[in-house]
Amino acid sequence: MEIRRLRFEDYPKLVELWSKAGLPFKPKGRDSPQAIAKQMEENPDFFMGAFENGRLIGAIITSSDGRKGWINRLAVDPEYRRRGVARALIAEAEKALRQKGLKVFCALIEDSNKASKELFKKCGYVEHRDIIYFSKRESHEV
């Protein structure tokens, strides 16, 4: 397995992976080709993919609010789960965030996603049940 920075040319493979992995995405909004291209241009180190024989088998996108690093959009092809792909991607994401001077890493996980919750616990993350998430969106696509 090779982990490398994703390029915009990988966008179709990324969308295919999200679909295979059952990860919802917003193709007309924040996950549109234009939005992803802009994000990749601004923070190229925040887009990583795991490849096996040239095939994208896992991907992760990170972001930063300037104080915390956020792990987003972690997806692994169902055929390659339980082989350490997600753990390797999380480790690479943390490395990229450390290089930006960040020391706190976070992930938002839906309560029903037990596999992801267990994965992050195994990677040293602590679940906080005392935080309630609020959001305001200009449209359902963002």
Side-chain angles (χ1 to χ4, degrees), residues 38-56:
K38 183 177 184 223
Q39 294 168 42
M40 284 181 162
E41 186 178 316
E42 291 171 356
N43 290 297
D45 295 333
F46 285 180
F47 288 78
M48 287 170 265
F51 291 83
E52 189 164 281
N53 299 321
R55 178 179 175 187
L56 181 64

Side-chain angles (χ1 to χ4, degrees), residues 31-120:
D31 299 319
S32 70
Q34 299 83 5
I36 294 294
K38 183 177 184 223
Q39 294 168 42
M40 284 181 162
E41 186 178 316
E42 291 171 356
N43 290 297
D45 295 333
F46 285 180
F47 288 78
M48 287 170 265
F51 291 83
E52 189 164 281
N53 299 321
R55 178 179 175 187
L56 181 64
I57 61 169
I60 194 165
I61 299 173
T62 57
S63 61
S64 166
D65 63 13
R67 299 180 318 136
K68 296 176 186 159
W70 291 90
I71 295 181
N72 309 295
R73 317 295 291 155
L74 174 60
V76 175
D77 185 315
E79 293 179 37
Y80 291 86
R81 290 183 180 161
R82 300 204 157 299
R83 297 185 191 183
V85 176
R87 287 182 107 157
L89 286 166
I90 290 170
E92 285 297 315
E94 291 173 353
K95 182 178 169 184
L97 292 166
R98 275 188 198 95
Q99 289 174 345
K100 298 285 184 182
L102 298 164
K103 297 178 182 182
V104 178
F105 313 124
C106 305
L108 295 173
I109 302 169
E110 293 175 343
D111 194 40
S112 62
N113 191 340
K114 297 191 185 322
S116 286
K117 287 169 46 175
E118 286 305 311
L119 168 67
F120 277 89

